[in-house]
Amino acid sequence: MAIQGKRGQTISSDVDNLVSWWREAGVDTIVGDDPRSWLEEPKKPSTAPAAAKPAAAPAPAASLADMPSDLAGFRQWLLSSETLDAPVSDRLDAIGDPAGGLMILVDMPEQDDRDARGLLSGTTGQLLDRMLAAIGRDRASTYIAPLSPARIAGGAIDEKTRETLATIARHHVALAAPTRLLTMGDAPSRVFCGSGLDESRGTQHIFNHDGGTVSVTATFHPRFLLRQPRFKAQSWKDLQMLIEGMTA
């Protein structure tokens, strides 16, 4: 049996072809401390009383009360709100059909997505397209959104930023109300599974929100599977778990 994919490509249902892409083992987040000069001369202690430092201004809070309660309004808010510390010109909207039942959450746009004006362009997007075709889906029937609508400098989401984006993403998923959620990579897994990618994989998780519940499956981001193709077989297991009992 063969599945006709988008752009007229045919993807064989033979396991060797279906699993010709995925797997990655939790290298989706980069841990980095603040820059530090190890060669700098140590400062001599001062005998003068320390001057009081002004309190730092609190970061803008992502309050549910400030976010629209309808999906269309919320998506426009994501593209324009000052709550997010990202240039408006760099932000990208979600793609696909929110009514399709399946939502995919990635961490952020790819490096080339800004110029392409769309999520998951280039070779990373081609890999995603093959994954979707293998489970009988395509972009048109899947709702795909990022935690951050703009790419973050360095390609990593720090803990403080992730807390803000988590509040926003949970509201996003509640409004989209998919039946299944696929988190790709470490940061989305921490938001919706409560732990990193390594610990989150292999188990179905449940996200509860005011409108109901969503079944969550964690797997690897395709950008890393391009670097770590030997892990594709494990990703296929994640996809099998995702589609178990799901109506296409």
Side-chain angles (χ1 to χ4, degrees):
M1 177 180 177
I3 301 173
Q4 186 69 25
K6 194 174 182 181
R7 303 176 184 172
Q9 295 180 343
T10 301
I11 297 182
S12 171
S13 59
D14 181 85
V15 173
D16 290 336
N17 290 329
L18 291 177
V19 300
S20 64
W21 9 285
W22 282 58
R23 186 183 170 190
E24 185 245 339
V27 297
D28 184 64
T29 186
I30 302 174
V31 178
D33 295 325
D34 293 335
R36 179 176 180 180
S37 176
W38 295 98
L39 301 179
E40 183 180 0
E41 289 291 337
K43 295 182 180 180
K44 296 181 179 180
S46 174
T47 57
K53 296 182 179 180
S63 171
L64 290 178
D66 299 331
M67 294 186 279
S69 58
D70 65 288
L71 184 58
F74 173 76
R75 289 170 67 173
Q76 184 58 43
W77 179 88
L78 277 175
L79 297 177
S80 60
S81 173
E82 295 182 357
T83 299
L84 298 174
D85 185 18
V88 171
S89 60
D90 290 350
R91 302 182 193 184
L92 296 176
D93 192 13
I95 59 175
D97 184 9
L102 172 61
M103 181 174 180
I104 294 177
L105 195 70
V106 296
D107 52 358
M108 67 185 78
E110 298 301 291
Q111 290 183 346
D112 298 332
D113 288 353
R114 178 185 173 186
D115 292 337
R117 298 313 302 169
L119 289 174
L120 294 164
S121 60
T123 55
T124 302
Q126 293 171 12
L127 194 58
L128 174 67
D129 290 337
R130 293 198 294 272
M131 178 272 289
L132 289 174
I135 60 173
R137 291 275 181 159
D138 58 19
R139 295 191 189 216
S141 62
T142 306
Y143 187 54
I144 306 171
L147 277 179
S148 172
R151 184 167 180 82
I152 295 174
I157 301 176
D158 60 44
E159 184 175 354
K160 182 178 179 180
T161 301
R162 189 177 69 237
E163 291 176 359
T164 299
L165 295 176
T167 301
I168 296 171
R170 294 185 184 110
H171 187 60
H172 196 168
V173 172
L175 292 178
T179 57
R180 297 292 174 104
L181 175 65
L182 179 66
T183 60
M184 302 173 82
D186 191 80
S189 297
R190 290 185 183 279
V191 172
F192 287 94
C193 302
S195 56
L197 182 58
D198 283 342
E199 295 81 9
S200 299
R201 287 187 59 251
T203 303
Q204 289 282 15
H205 305 266
I206 298 296
F207 168 59
N208 296 292
H209 58 87
D210 291 342
T213 61
V214 180
S215 177
V216 184
T217 303
T219 194
F220 308 104
H221 196 294
R223 87 165 70 95
F224 292 108
L225 290 173
L226 291 173
R227 305 172 186 173
Q228 301 289 343
R230 67 183 184 277
F231 296 129
K232 292 171 182 176
Q234 288 198 16
S235 178
W236 174 240
K237 293 180 181 179
D238 298 334
L239 296 180
Q240 288 178 309
M241 181 183 302
L242 169 72
I243 63 177
E244 182 180 353
M246 183 177 69
T247 302

